[in-house]
Amino acid sequence: MNFQYWQPEIEKMPRGDLESLQLQKLKAAIVNALRTTFYKERLAKAGITSADDIKTLSDLKRIPFTTKNDLRDGFPYGFLSIPKDDVVRLHASSGTTGIPTTIYFSRDDIKRWATYMARCIYGTGCGRSDVFQNMISYGLFTGGLGLHQGGEEVGMLVIPAGAGNTARQFKLMQDFGTTVIHATPSFLLHVESKMREAGVKRETLSIKCAFAGAEPYSEDTRKRIEGLLKIDVYNSYGLSEMNGPGVAFECQCKEGMHIWEDGYIAEIVNPDTLEPVKDGERGELILTILCREATPLFRYRTRDLTSFYTEPCACGRTHRRIRRITGRSDDMLIINGVNVFPSQIEEVIMGMKEVGNNYLIVVEKDGALDKLTVKTEIMPDIFMDDSRPLNALKDKIKATLQASISISPRVELHESGSLPVPEGKAVRVQDLRPKDV
Ligand code: DLL
């Protein structure tokens, strides 16, 4: 394979040099953080009052974890480390409680973010000659502008299409000869269904690859999108607290996502004990950002579950890789006492070729017990009015799910395109059980 690197000297930096660089940047981040009201107090409690108190990378562990609640408590300016006049942008995610978590960027922060994104995009083999249609939301959400800036940095022709409106998306693809697209995996599946419905022929499109992220998806879903659209799909991971996309991305090997370790220090801990897991074991990803001056964050609890690859990657990059996110430590469903991750259900159903491109998991109360219903669309070549194959398919899905999650769900089959498709991230779970107060 012909690998290409945007910043080879950094991407292939020997581990020792990379760790020295991390230490140097960590000290700089401490200096910044001591200017924020939140960390001034928190670091003092940990006995850190200057960068000299950090002597090795393991001193990071003296700093307690930072959580989403801390960010909310610090709203709006408790985490700001530079004068407001030097801030050029903010991004925010509105949480379920309604208090947004807000991240501020200086001009240099935006430039650095664009450089990390350029590394991601260029590392998949794309370049100046590509036409990049960015089919994800712009706005406070980081997905739109994040990839947009990276695409421009690489020199691609960027089409800021935004999410939704598949008919317009096809028109743009055809008019401008789009070669690369970016969307959530659920939107990519929706695009494919709509393509079939609208009779858009694959040969009329020039797409060759897609970046897909912002929500969990299984390897089977990747293969499904790749097979149906005849493109390569690269996994893209990030979160707004860590700038947004550009934290970790797959290279041409498509085996795990490289975390840019000159910009982030990654740890993986057991979410219950918060102790580090053994190398290669699954746990919660904890991130410290080193590439942003305006809003420092140390040891942020992402809640995302993953593990490190222990082997180096064939591409020659020295930055470690994480596995596909298999869920969040806080999205586990407990159904009649059994722990179920939505990703386990997706793995089973997306591996079946009869199953269509969209599904929904519903949990509700049935008397004292919990009831799990899995609603899936079916492929359009299966007829809804022929009950025998439909019943056989239902039984097959039920039995395979039972073997995987130890619960026998109700299975409902729906016509292709009939389940709701939100414009942003897919909402795969409806938990209708009354909440304990
Ligand atoms: O989703 C940033 C982003 C935009 C990433 C576009 C990739 C592409 P938030 O809205 O703050 O930011 O949501 C972050 O989404 O903690 C994960 O739980 C989930 N997530 C993001 N990427 C992936 C992925 C953006 N590739 C939260 N696989 C994260 C699984 C993902 N989950």
Side-chain angles (χ1 to χ4, degrees):
M1 214 180 279
N2 229 350
F3 297 116
Q4 56 180 34
Y5 312 92
W6 187 249
Q7 293 179 305
E9 67 296 349
I10 298 176
E11 295 174 43
K12 294 193 279 182
M13 187 178 259
R15 290 290 313 173
D17 294 353
L18 191 51
E19 282 166 21
S20 305
L21 185 58
Q22 282 187 320
L23 179 60
Q24 186 195 324
K25 289 191 175 182
L26 178 59
K27 281 167 169 281
I30 296 282
V31 174
N32 270 332
L34 287 169
R35 295 196 204 106
T36 68
T37 45
F38 178 85
Y39 277 120
K40 195 171 172 9
E41 197 187 322
R42 170 132 327 168
L43 292 176
K45 275 196 197 140
I48 300 167
T49 52
S50 91
D52 293 339
D53 292 319
I54 300 289
K55 303 226 159 23
T56 66
L57 278 180
S58 59
D59 284 332
L60 174 63
K61 300 218 162 57
R62 289 169 55 194
I63 305 175
F65 297 104
T66 305
T67 63
K68 205 173 191 76
N69 274 341
D70 290 331
L71 275 172
R72 292 203 172 113
D73 290 346
F75 181 81
Y77 291 121
F79 283 81
L80 182 63
S81 69
I82 59 171
K84 231 195 302 176
D85 285 1
D86 294 333
V87 175
V88 299
R89 195 195 298 166
L90 66 77
H91 280 281
S93 68
S94 63
T96 37
T97 66
I99 304 173
T101 54
T102 311
I103 300 296
Y104 302 95
F105 296 80
S106 69
R107 197 175 296 281
D108 283 343
D109 289 339
I110 298 280
K111 279 193 200 141
R112 273 186 289 264
W113 184 19
T115 307
Y116 282 84
M117 285 294 356
R119 278 188 209 168
C120 298
I121 294 172
Y122 199 66
T124 63
C126 296
R128 298 171 54 85
S129 51
D130 281 302
V131 178
F132 174 42
Q133 190 163 323
N134 198 13
M135 312 194 296
I136 211 161
S137 305
Y138 281 65
L140 290 176
F141 177 62
T142 52
L145 281 169
L147 268 287
H148 183 108
Q149 294 157 177
E152 286 189 351
E153 183 73 16
V154 166
M156 300 159 109
L157 166 52
V158 184
I159 308 176
N165 199 340
T166 44
R168 198 188 51 162
Q169 302 282 5
F170 298 136
K171 178 95 173 60
L172 289 170
M173 287 181 198
Q174 287 167 329
D175 285 351
F176 301 110
T178 300
T179 53
V180 182
I181 53 182
H182 171 222
T184 57
S186 51
F187 190 65
L188 289 175
L189 285 169
H190 178 61
V191 161
E192 194 278 327
S193 302
K194 287 286 173 194
M195 231 172 103
R196 261 182 289 144
E197 210 178 288
V200 175
K201 293 265 171 303
R202 175 63 181 86
E203 313 81 80
T204 64
L205 306 178
S206 314
I207 44 173
K208 61 174 192 191
C209 80
F211 311 135
E215 63 189 19
Y217 60 117
S218 62
E219 191 58 35
D220 277 324
T221 298
R222 184 225 299 262
K223 294 214 178 90
R224 173 182 282 254
I225 301 169
E226 291 192 327
L228 290 170
L229 286 176
K230 301 190 183 62
I231 54 174
D232 278 308
V233 173
Y234 296 93
N235 198 359
S236 148
Y237 169 78
L239 56 159
S240 40
E241 296 84 347
M242 293 288 136
N243 286 356
V247 175
F249 218 87
E250 282 183 330
C251 65
Q252 283 156 290
C253 298
K254 288 203 281 186
E255 258 206 73
M257 299 176 279
H258 292 278
I259 293 199
W260 299 121
E261 291 186 87
D262 58 322
Y264 301 90
I265 299 180
E267 304 168 63
I268 297 183
V269 302
N270 176 317
D272 300 322
T273 62
L274 299 179
E275 290 298 320
V277 297
K278 288 205 198 82
D279 206 18
E281 268 180 22
R282 199 170 91 118
E284 180 181 328
L285 182 66
I286 307 288
L287 291 172
T288 296
I289 186 160
L290 304 175
C291 56
R292 186 178 60 212
E293 57 179 345
T295 321
L297 282 182
F298 299 103
R299 308 192 79 202
Y300 185 71
R301 289 195 62 178
T302 66
R303 308 280 171 176
D304 293 321
L305 300 175
T306 183
S307 54
F308 284 122
Y309 279 79
T310 50
E311 300 294 311
C313 185
C315 74
R317 288 181 180 81
T318 49
H319 300 239
R320 280 179 300 174
R321 289 168 297 159
I322 50 168
R323 290 198 167 72
R324 190 174 282 289
I325 309 290
T326 46
R328 293 172 54 83
S329 57
D330 54 6
D331 77 352
M332 188 178 71
L333 295 165
I334 304 182
I335 300 170
N336 295 324
V338 180
N339 298 348
V340 178
F341 284 99
S343 58
Q344 289 176 291
I345 298 179
E346 166 161 338
E347 255 165 48
V348 168
I349 55 182
M350 282 294 137
M352 294 184 178
K353 61 177 189 332
E354 305 93 330
V355 169
N357 286 346
N358 200 359
Y359 71 93
L360 191 63
I361 298 165
V362 182
V363 194
E364 57 210 318
K365 274 282 178 209
D366 186 9
L369 289 180
D370 299 325
K371 187 173 80 178
L372 169 68
T373 307
V374 176
K375 303 180 177 187
T376 80
E377 289 183 3
I378 52 171
M379 281 299 187
D381 52 354
I382 302 177
F383 292 108
M384 283 306 280
D385 40 12
D386 194 353
S387 68
R388 243 189 327 167
L390 284 185
N391 286 336
L393 177 58
K394 253 192 212 174
D395 290 345
K396 179 170 143 190
I397 296 175
K398 209 170 165 159
T400 326
L401 276 173
Q402 163 131 43
S404 161
I405 60 173
S406 317
I407 294 178
S408 178
R410 263 189 56 208
V411 173
E412 274 180 23
L413 302 181
H414 292 256
E415 238 170 272
S416 174
S418 63
L419 290 176
V421 185
E423 271 217 348
K425 301 186 189 225
V427 181
R428 298 295 197 195
V429 180
Q430 282 180 354
D431 193 342
L432 306 175
R433 293 173 293 185
K435 300 272 171 288
D436 289 336
V437 270

